[in-house]
């Protein structure tokens, strides 16, 4: 996207240990395999972190979007 929303979302998740961001320009089969292996080695710890962090993730995005659209009408 023009404002890089997906990249910003991925960076936010990465800062909270919920993602690994690899720039598409730097992505190769070896870097992908390396990252997958790294994640697999830590998958139990990652799962625990995700469960602990889940309450911090906003769940009301759709409601906020509808409210904003309604406010414009």
């Amino acid at each position: 996207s023009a404002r890089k929303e997906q990249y910003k979302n991925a960076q936010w998740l990465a800062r909270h240990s919920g993602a690994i961001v690899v720039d598409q320009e730097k992505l190769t089969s070896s870097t992908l395999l390396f990252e997958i292996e790294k994640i697999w080695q830590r998958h139990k710890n990652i799962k625990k972190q995700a469960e602990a962090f889940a309450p911090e993730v906003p769940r009301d995005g759709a409601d906020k979007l509808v409210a904003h659209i309604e406010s414009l009408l």
Side-chain angles (χ1 to χ4, degrees):
S1 71
R3 295 189 328 215
K4 299 185 179 185
E5 287 90 356
Q6 288 181 331
Y7 182 76
K8 291 175 186 176
N9 289 338
Q11 289 289 46
W12 183 86
L13 281 171
R15 281 193 308 275
H16 295 91
S17 301
I20 293 172
V21 179
V22 179
D23 289 328
Q24 189 171 354
E25 296 82 22
K26 298 177 183 175
L27 184 63
T28 65
S29 57
S30 351
T31 57
L32 180 59
L33 180 59
F34 175 78
E35 295 298 342
I36 291 170
E37 288 173 343
K38 200 162 68 170
I39 290 169
W40 185 249
Q41 290 172 358
R42 299 179 43 234
H43 77 280
K44 289 181 183 177
N45 187 39
I46 291 170
K47 183 178 179 183
K48 286 179 188 176
Q49 287 177 320
E51 290 168 350
F53 186 69
E56 302 298 320
V57 177
R59 307 263 184 227
D60 61 347
D63 293 335
K64 285 182 178 181
L65 178 61
V66 168
H68 182 69
I69 292 170
E70 288 177 342
S71 75
L72 298 173
L73 301 177

